[in-house]
Amino acid sequence: MKMLNADEVKDILRVSKPKAYVIIKQLNKELNDKGYLTIAGKIMEDYLYERLGGKCN
């Protein structure tokens, strides 16, 4: 399991760094609501791709 930071999310999604932080925060909230432990400013790569409807490379 790889954890992505805002710079990596920014590059993957081709968005600004502030937008990457907003996306990470939203995904972490979803995970927290499901009972998962999260780390502020990072998101699991698998979950990011799952929510995007794709697969990890």
Side-chain angles (χ1 to χ4, degrees), residues 33-49:
D33 291 346
K34 293 179 182 180
Y36 290 94
L37 179 65
T38 60
I39 300 169
K42 294 186 181 257
I43 189 65
M44 291 183 300
E45 182 179 36
D46 293 343
Y47 191 67
L48 174 68
Y49 280 102

Side-chain angles (χ1 to χ4, degrees), residues 2-3 6-7 9 13 29 33 37 41 48 50-51 54 57:
K2 181 178 177 185
M3 298 295 287
D7 285 323
V9 172
L13 301 180
K29 182 180 180 328
D33 291 346
L37 179 65
L48 174 68
E50 176 186 324
R51 291 293 284 121
N57 293 337

Side-chain angles (χ1 to χ4, degrees), residues 9-57:
V9 172
K10 172 182 74 89
D11 292 341
I12 291 168
L13 301 180
R14 297 180 187 207
V15 296
S16 67
K17 193 168 184 176
K19 181 64 176 177
Y21 277 115
V22 169
I23 291 167
I24 290 170
K25 186 175 182 178
Q26 176 185 343
L27 296 178
N28 277 337
K29 182 180 180 328
E30 292 175 10
L31 289 170
N32 279 329
D33 291 346
K34 293 179 182 180
Y36 290 94
L37 179 65
T38 60
I39 300 169
K42 294 186 181 257
I43 189 65
M44 291 183 300
E45 182 179 36
D46 293 343
Y47 191 67
L48 174 68
Y49 280 102
E50 176 186 324
R51 291 293 284 121
L52 291 172
K55 294 184 180 181
C56 254
N57 293 337

